[in-house]
Amino acid sequence: MRPGLILFTYLHLAADKRLSRELLRRRVTAVGYETIQLEDSSLPLLAPMSEVAGRLAIQAGSWCLQARSGGRGVLLSGASGVRPGKVVVLGGGIAGLNACRVAAGVGAEVTIMDINPSRLRYLSDLLGGRVTTVMSNRATLEEEVTNSDLVIGAVLVPGARAPRLLSAKMVARMRPGAAIVDLSIDQGGISETSAPTTHARPTFIRNRVVHYCVTNMPAMVPHTSTYALTNATLTYALEIADHGILEAGRIDAAIRQGVNTYDGHVVHPAVAEALKMKPHSVWT
Amino acid sequence: MRPGLILFTYLHLAADKRLSRELLRRRVTAVGYETIQLEDSSLPLLAPMSEVAGRLAIQAGSWCLQARSGGRGVLLSGASGVRPGKVVVLGGGIAGLNACRVAAGVGAEVTIMDINPSRLRYLSDLLGGRVTTVMSNRATLEEEVTNSDLVIGAVLVPGARAPRLLSAKMVARMRPGAAIVDLSIDQGGISETSAPTTHARPTFIRNRVVHYCVTNMPAMVPHTSTYALTNATLTYALEIADHGILEAGRIDAAIRQGVNTYDGHVVHPAVAEALKMKPHSVWT
Amino acid sequence: MRPGLILFTYLHLAADKRLSRELLRRRVTAVGYETIQLEDSSLPLLAPMSEVAGRLAIQAGSWCLQARSGGRGVLLSGASGVRPGKVVVLGGGIAGLNACRVAAGVGAEVTIMDINPSRLRYLSDLLGGRVTTVMSNRATLEEEVTNSDLVIGAVLVPGARAPRLLSAKMVARMRPGAAIVDLSIDQGGISETSAPTTHARPTFIRNRVVHYCVTNMPAMVPHTSTYALTNATLTYALEIADHGILEAGRIDAAIRQGVNTYDGHVVHPAVAEALKMKPHSVWT
Amino acid sequence: MRPGLILFTYLHLAADKRLSRELLRRRVTAVGYETIQLEDSSLPLLAPMSEVAGRLAIQAGSWCLQARSGGRGVLLSGASGVRPGKVVVLGGGIAGLNACRVAAGVGAEVTIMDINPSRLRYLSDLLGGRVTTVMSNRATLEEEVTNSDLVIGAVLVPGARAPRLLSAKMVARMRPGAAIVDLSIDQGGISETSAPTTHARPTFIRNRVVHYCVTNMPAMVPHTSTYALTNATLTYALEIADHGILEAGRIDAAIRQGVNTYDGHVVHPAVAEALKMKPHSVWT
Amino acid sequence: MRPGLILFTYLHLAADKRLSRELLRRRVTAVGYETIQLEDSSLPLLAPMSEVAGRLAIQAGSWCLQARSGGRGVLLSGASGVRPGKVVVLGGGIAGLNACRVAAGVGAEVTIMDINPSRLRYLSDLLGGRVTTVMSNRATLEEEVTNSDLVIGAVLVPGARAPRLLSAKMVARMRPGAAIVDLSIDQGGISETSAPTTHARPTFIRNRVVHYCVTNMPAMVPHTSTYALTNATLTYALEIADHGILEAGRIDAAIRQGVNTYDGHVVHPAVAEALKMKPHSVWT
Amino acid sequence: MRPGLILFTYLHLAADKRLSRELLRRRVTAVGYETIQLEDSSLPLLAPMSEVAGRLAIQAGSWCLQARSGGRGVLLSGASGVRPGKVVVLGGGIAGLNACRVAAGVGAEVTIMDINPSRLRYLSDLLGGRVTTVMSNRATLEEEVTNSDLVIGAVLVPGARAPRLLSAKMVARMRPGAAIVDLSIDQGGISETSAPTTHARPTFIRNRVVHYCVTNMPAMVPHTSTYALTNATLTYALEIADHGILEAGRIDAAIRQGVNTYDGHVVHPAVAEALKMKPHSVWT
């Protein structure tokens, strides 16, 4: 059995039936970065991009807050004698933690919110007194968001739509000229007012708040992103190249999770479900 | 000429005419810690007590905020997922800087206010992102104070009454159960609502705010305070003992500033003025 | 089957037979915060209180060391030119780690002791050079304790009496006016000289050492404690409210561990053992 | 003698003869922010803008390095496993120090260069191990600049043209897509390749390097800048308003330095020289 | 059954057949520190020595870089105005992390390399901006090593030869007078140019690079090492002493892993394999 | 007037009459690094060497504490669960501050002692909680020294013998195997037991304490030292080269202080005094 072409990249087949059918028709072995998953259910090939996006979020947010972008004209660092800007990071995962670090590093006043108490405890242990951790619920969310200069949406529910944490009404109560950088836009965004934007026209203003919702932020810094991604993918690519996909999948469960189509069959259950097909077992 | 007894301690003669007259009558050489002054106009024998008082202020303030003291029941450190308490330090001198350090150290959200831009710049350079510096004016003062859990009064205008920065009305707008620790109480206090208290009954509640206005705070920690003070006084004591007051004053201008009375004459101008006498020149 | 009233709070039934019997008689579904347990055997509804107590311990200890409390008159922060106070934290769990952080934050010289080498390694990695980690054994314990100004007892052996780490004799060899804050007092205390105290009379002096053994320390800061606790309990409360206890227990193993009594039966094995009854299985 | 209108703002009269003549003709008392000078020859009304510009420099530089701006596509923070960007700050004054702090805060690899060994020592004491200090000379400058991703020009020689530290040839040897943010552009810029730009078109590419040379950077963040500037100017404005210019100048030497024209006469020597007039003495 | 003498120490029997045979002949129960292993496959009795060796590595490396040792004459801390030395740590385990911490602490420019992306992410989270993490591959390794002053070899593949990361050719391209401290020398070393050395003659120079390859580095600091080791071994020693080896092994899986020989039989599989014997089961 | 050869280096003529006479005879213009002095009486060409020596002191001290050097076998960093070594730095000048930083950086427990309270306050402000500052007097000195593993002598009284802070008796009471690194050895050393050593034989043991008293420590790291020194000397060398010594001395008072001999005359008063000659005035 000759597996033919192996495609190893971000695929998102569940959302693209035409692509899926073509891959099946041509019997391509399609391995999706986004479905490679470790036993602790972490996603090793999404992590580096979350890291880059989280760090970029503060850079993008600073730009949004400039007067020319329609922002409040606030410098996140403040100045001696002048309060720094206030940043609220929604979501304490990899992207959120990285956004926090950079925001605290530039001297902003930073709050990170999550719904998992032990994650908040870990963040508090790690980041010490430089960042405030706040349990997220309707009341705290409203209070923090409406008092901030910059909101970073960094909520990821794997395989599901991002929760709509901000209603249009809540956004309208934010400070005029405040900004939202919505990293969750790929999963639908954390605000009712979010809508995807492009690198060419990265922002729009809604309810007097600057929105930055570029869907592929790491492309802003291809040099750094490419190294970060390749660091993570190379090991898997070498495993597949060295052993072939069948043997590689036998050795490494993460690769098995990654295979979406094989020899004309849908293998990944979620993709199968999206295509209303029955998943095929390659390794039993 | 035999100068007789030399008294070397805190004197505050301007405020105590009876003591002054007795010292003159008995021809005591009285050298006041509080008038020893260096060329840069710093007060080397007040500095250690400012340091101790500033550090103690947070300890006293934490105690005021406890429910049993009538406070808001707020822990300055907060907890993971719960905002820390907010501390505002009024005055960026030695006491204020030391209060800041401890407050930031326990994990509180700390703002320090002063009216000197270059002092604020130095504090910002020194304390980095852990403390917010805010230029003090009527507007910022009101905003910071009414949004805080703990206000530390650390304003010293040498030789003058402390400015009344807080009116009773402003205090009434503070959060119920908030606290004021007024280190400036010896110079009259920074709040209209302040009044001296004792170690036995350290606090009172006015306008729903807990006030801590103990006049000699370093006495709470005599072990530390004694060493801190002696570290600073010993050098001068030895100079005086080694050379006699006349020679010591000749060598060291700071000691000259310290001499209040000598051989039946008032020497220090400010004391002379308070007693309506003409100051006498010993070193010409 | 109608489960009637659900009681969801700290219960400690093993120590209160009368309460247990009444709950059984009235067929109350009693879910104990203290027996909700995750798979990694952590106790998510005890953790927030350990955090608050740990942070409060330094605040309480500072107060004990003041001259008026009978203490040595030592300021934990020290002063420039004067050694800071020395704090020894016994136990490197959540309470101990939080006590450490605050103690180091105020500028004290801090040692944390534990018997688990890998926990010490983690603490050392996390806290870097600001805190000294010391393996606890009879020799090191004696040396550290007798050279310290403040001992924090933060040892928790889940479901068991706290070990008596300090004998009365060892306490007698401590510096006169030193202090012990015994957070383990609910489990019997870490010192032979410990005995429970109240917020009204929080301390006593034994062997010339100030003892602070208030049994419910977080009540000192109800504002912070309530938020910290509710952050953790709310998720479980909502699960129970949304699904009913039977379904909630089916979904979430932690809730199963939490149920102490149900419909007139003892469910939790430890409670059953204390009451000499046979535990009843609800979920099989 | 009635001085008529007092103009108190940035003036830069030496560079604007027409404005100068008009002020003289109308007998305006013109006080220039930029010539108010303290005894230690610091410029208190330039300092806040240097601070803001220094902090903004990293924000602007990050933006320049993005692919869409023509930059290398490097994220200054790097990522785990990927080197951060390298920033070189030329000049260790207020602007340079603030640029350093922010650059180190975002996680970049930062070098600061100056020609004053004791300033470098102070920076090294203050910034510890997070920033590398390098003595600037032809050899080190070339090495650092050509190995960096981002060069910040922060050299100010008061009252003189900024030194041309970078030749076009040296810029050509920089990494393609690297960036220069030239804060010294108002004084002519630190690079042969620099030329003033505007907020509307902030950058140009020369020798494959992105140049950002906006002449009034603080206008990007008017909210922060206005507060920072007003904090510093207010004291002087009040002095002038309270006492009138003659008395204010008598009391405060800094204000005397600030007066450029008075009652139809040029007062400031440098302005007089630029206009080829004889300076007039108001205070003698 | 009387187990006779129990030997509990570092054994390394696989490499010493004669010792193995003697232990079998005399029916010694030999428990090897190096084979005691926890469920997460960590080696609790190797960890303390890795920690000590990692910290010592920088001390040894500093000494190698001194002119008298044949080194470049570089001070790792640098000086104000002079670049610090550059340290590359190969391997992000316990030894590597500890070497990093000390190197960053003295003020060196530090890079740590590993092939595990999530370990690099953890190191980056923990060490923040003070250390650069770089994914190790042929290209990055060559670049980092040839640009460094000091290379620390801290790679451990449990039970296997250390990988030969540095070829003689790569070493030849290093800066003349640079240094390699090879902590992996016990497993064969990370460089083709490494060869074991002794405390008496700790270094040799090959390809103009100073090599430090002492096989038992912790012996340099016996005071610290003994405490570190005993902290970890004592618990196991007491378990064995309290219960006897059979019962101790029943209770504690780590001890079972530790037993190499028992009652004349080889128990540990790896030792058995080395001796070409069949392993004997004691606990079934 | 042609000044002939200009010699610009460390001279120390007061201690070398023969050299002085030869310089006079040959009419050499001898400018001594060690007598160039700024208005604030700092010594800009000694400062870089103090910095390097201070940082080296910890490196040398670590080496002394190793078993093979006769030391206690203590690792300054300690290990997790094992106390770090204790370092006492005597003298809070440039060398002392730099020794402190490195010692704290490696994780040692560090105390710095001085007799100047405001210097101690500055050190405490700068170094925060990582270093303990202690006022030096007979009692504290004895206590700190006898409880330490490593004593760094960093006391400089410009132009005078270093004070003998440690008597042989006090050294005898130190821990056996402790170490003294005496940076003040050039001025006679801070201990009665100190005596100059060489790079070839850097240490000796007296009273069971390892002494390291190499007279020219920066020569251990010539690469770093040369850059550090040249950074500071170059400006002066260029001034002299550009203007000739007469004009350079006219412009720059520091250079005037540096000239020791000129055209056959002794110029520097201290050198003149040592040679019992009358100093000659070049600039009047």
Side-chain angles (χ1 to χ4, degrees), chain F residues 81-236:
Chain F
V82 184
R83 284 213 152 270
K86 201 178 151 195
V87 177
V88 177
V89 178
L90 306 179
I94 291 180
L97 168 55
N98 280 277
C100 255
R101 275 230 127 104
V102 174
V106 304
E109 202 183 316
V110 189
T111 300
I112 186 162
M113 307 186 76
D114 202 297
I115 55 170
N116 180 344
S118 42
R119 180 69 183 173
L120 288 173
R121 187 167 304 118
Y122 177 71
L123 292 171
S124 171
D125 284 351
L126 195 69
L127 300 168
R130 299 179 344 197
V131 162
T132 297
T133 57
V134 172
M135 185 71 178
S136 183
N137 56 47
R138 221 167 304 166
T140 55
L141 189 70
E142 171 117 24
E143 192 189 332
E144 297 293 340
V145 164
T146 54
N147 280 307
S148 69
D149 296 297
L150 175 59
V151 174
I152 307 294
V155 176
L156 178 74
V157 183
R161 212 214 157 284
R164 279 263 154 96
L165 299 174
L166 277 57
S167 64
K169 234 166 105 183
M170 204 194 290
V171 172
R173 274 197 297 277
M174 286 176 68
R175 298 172 178 169
I180 297 173
V181 174
D182 197 342
L183 302 177
S184 311
I185 192 68
D186 287 322
Q187 275 76 38
I190 53 106
S191 173
E192 229 177 77
T193 55
S194 292
T197 59
T198 61
H199 289 289
R201 306 198 59 188
T203 64
F204 60 86
I205 294 178
R206 197 164 292 169
N207 293 0
R208 296 187 301 176
V209 168
V210 185
H211 290 64
Y212 184 104
C213 308
V214 172
T215 44
N216 179 14
M217 281 183 71
M220 289 157 76
V221 285
H223 185 98
T224 301
S225 297
T226 304
Y227 280 110
L229 184 56
T230 316
N231 281 349
T233 57
L234 193 62
T235 317
Y236 297 103

Side-chain angles (χ1 to χ4, degrees), chain D residues 102-279:
Chain D
V102 174
V106 305
E109 202 183 316
V110 189
T111 300
I112 187 162
M113 307 186 74
D114 202 297
I115 54 171
N116 180 344
S118 43
R119 179 69 183 174
L120 288 173
R121 187 167 302 120
Y122 177 71
L123 292 171
S124 171
D125 284 351
L126 194 68
L127 299 168
R130 298 180 344 197
V131 162
T132 298
T133 57
V134 172
M135 185 70 177
S136 183
N137 57 46
R138 222 167 304 166
T140 54
L141 189 70
E142 171 119 23
E143 191 190 333
E144 297 292 340
V145 164
T146 54
N147 281 308
S148 69
D149 296 297
L150 176 59
V151 174
I152 308 294
V155 176
L156 179 74
V157 183
R161 211 212 158 287
R164 280 261 154 97
L165 299 175
L166 277 58
S167 64
K169 234 166 104 185
M170 204 193 290
V171 172
R173 274 198 297 276
M174 287 175 67
R175 298 172 178 169
I180 297 173
V181 174
D182 195 342
L183 301 177
S184 311
I185 193 67
D186 288 322
Q187 274 77 40
I190 52 107
S191 172
E192 227 176 80
T193 55
S194 292
T197 59
T198 61
H199 289 288
R201 306 198 60 189
T203 62
F204 60 86
I205 295 178
R206 199 165 289 170
N207 293 358
R208 296 188 303 178
V209 167
V210 185
H211 289 66
Y212 184 104
C213 307
V214 172
T215 44
N216 179 14
M217 281 183 70
M220 289 158 77
V221 286
H223 186 96
T224 301
S225 297
T226 304
Y227 280 110
L229 184 57
T230 316
N231 281 349
T233 57
L234 194 62
T235 317
Y236 297 102
L238 290 176
E239 275 188 75
I240 297 172
D242 284 354
H243 300 291
I245 190 68
L246 286 181
E247 182 60 16
R250 221 163 267 136
I251 299 167
D252 185 341
I255 289 179
R256 285 204 296 279
Q257 301 283 338
V259 176
N260 280 282
T261 65
Y262 176 78
D263 194 27
H265 298 284
V266 182
V267 178
H268 197 278
V271 177
E273 195 187 314
L275 299 175
K276 288 175 188 155
M277 298 174 70
K278 245 194 83 178

Side-chain angles (χ1 to χ4, degrees), chain E residues 51 55 67 75 77 80 224, chain F residues 51 55 67 75 77 80 220 224:
Chain E
E51 224 182 272
R55 296 176 183 209
L75 176 61
S77 314
S80 66
T224 301
Chain F
E51 224 183 272
R55 296 175 184 209
L75 176 61
S77 315
S80 66
M220 289 157 76
T224 301

Side-chain angles (χ1 to χ4, degrees), chain E residues 59-71:
Chain E
Q59 188 164 317
S62 302
W63 186 82
C64 292
L65 287 169
Q66 294 179 11
R68 214 176 165 83
S69 314

Side-chain angles (χ1 to χ4, degrees), chain B residues 56-67 69 74-77 106 150 179 181, chain C residues 56 59 220-221:
Chain B
L56 270 170
I58 302 308
Q59 188 163 319
S62 303
W63 185 83
C64 292
L65 286 169
Q66 294 178 10
S69 314
V74 161
L75 177 61
L76 284 185
S77 314
V106 303
L150 176 59
V181 174
Chain C
L56 271 170
Q59 187 164 318
M220 288 159 76
V221 286

